[in-house]
Amino acid sequence: ALMNIPLFQHENVVDLLKSSQAKLGVHHYERTSALRMLLLISDTFHLKLLKHLSESQYPISLILDATTDARGKHYVIVYFRSIEGDKSDGEIKQYRPILYFYKLLEFGIEENSQAYLNILESALTDEMEKTYNLERTIKTNLVAMGSDGASDKKRKNNGLIVKLNEFVGRNI
C-alpha cells in the first residue's frame, strides 16, 4: 500500500518476495488476507486520527472537493488541515501546517450545499459512535473551509459555507 501497488498485483509481489527468499509467514500469500490487513491498518490509523483531532486544541480547516465517477455516483473527498507542534526535549520548538485525509464520502443523487452538509454531519455522527466527539471539536476549532469555489459551496445565501456557519454557530 505504501508503494501504491494495487492489490491485483499481490500475487506478483508474493512471487518476487519468494524468489528473494523473504520469510512471508503463513498469512501473506492470499490477496484477501492482504486486503484484510490493509483495512485493519487503515481503520487503526483512522481511529488514531479521530483521537488526535478530538484532543487537539489547534484551529482546523476543512478542505473538500467533489467528483462524479463513470457510473454517475457523486463523491466528496474531505481533508482536515491543522497545525502541529514539533517537540524537542518536551517543548514545542516549531509549528507546521499538516494535512490529514479524513474520508471519501458518497453522495446520493443531489449535489448541493444541503447534501454536502448532510453527508458531513452524517460522517461526524458516525464518528461520535466511535467515542470520539469529533462534532464538538469541529464546532469549537473549525476556522475555515477551502474548496474549488463551486457555487454550491460558496453561494452567499445558501452555500455550504453558510450551512457550516450555522452548524458551528459562528462565521468561519
Side-chain angles (χ1 to χ4, degrees):
L2 289 174
M3 296 172 61
N4 289 322
I5 299 172
L7 280 175
F8 69 81
Q9 291 291 336
H10 181 73
E11 186 177 333
N12 294 334
V13 172
V14 169
D15 290 342
L16 177 66
L17 290 169
K18 284 195 302 191
S19 71
S20 64
Q21 299 179 349
K23 295 180 182 170
L24 295 175
V26 294
H27 300 292
H28 297 95
Y29 292 95
E30 296 178 15
R31 184 171 68 174
T32 55
S33 295
L35 177 60
R36 283 194 309 271
M37 285 185 263
L38 183 63
L39 291 173
L40 178 66
I41 292 168
S42 174
D43 288 345
T44 301
F45 275 105
H46 186 74
L47 288 173
K48 284 184 179 223
L49 170 64
L50 295 177
K51 183 175 188 281
H52 176 73
L53 287 174
S54 67
E55 292 173 352
S56 174
Q57 297 186 11
Y58 296 120
I60 295 172
S61 14
L62 184 65
I63 300 173
L64 47 89
D65 196 12
T67 190
T68 305
D69 70 10
R71 297 171 294 175
K73 288 190 175 183
H74 300 290
Y75 297 90
V76 62
I77 189 166
V78 182
Y79 292 95
F80 289 116
R81 181 140 189 164
S82 189
I83 57 173
E84 292 210 350
D86 291 327
K87 288 187 178 180
S88 175
D89 300 326
E91 290 183 33
I92 296 177
K93 301 291 184 184
Q94 180 179 355
Y95 291 96
R96 61 185 168 86
I98 190 157
L99 185 69
Y100 296 108
F101 168 72
Y102 171 60
K103 267 190 176 177
L104 179 68
L105 303 169
E106 185 178 343
F107 277 85
I109 297 169
E110 292 288 322
E111 186 181 346
N112 57 39
S113 60
Q114 189 60 50
Y116 276 103
L117 187 65
N118 290 347
I119 197 163
L120 285 170
E121 282 184 307
S122 176
L124 294 173
T125 301
D126 289 347
E127 303 299 4
M128 284 175 30
E129 292 172 7
K130 295 177 181 172
T131 71
Y132 299 112
N133 194 343
L134 196 57
E135 183 179 5
R136 178 193 49 79
T137 300
I138 298 300
K139 286 184 175 183
T140 304
N141 297 351
L142 188 66
V143 296
M145 182 199 78
S147 73
D148 60 1
S151 64
D152 55 349
K153 297 180 203 101
K154 298 286 185 172
R155 212 174 292 134
K156 289 183 181 182
N157 295 331
N158 62 350
L160 180 60
I161 192 74
V162 173
K163 305 283 186 193
L164 282 172
N165 287 341
E166 292 170 4
F167 178 73
V168 300
R170 60 184 159 71
N171 286 335
I172 59 168

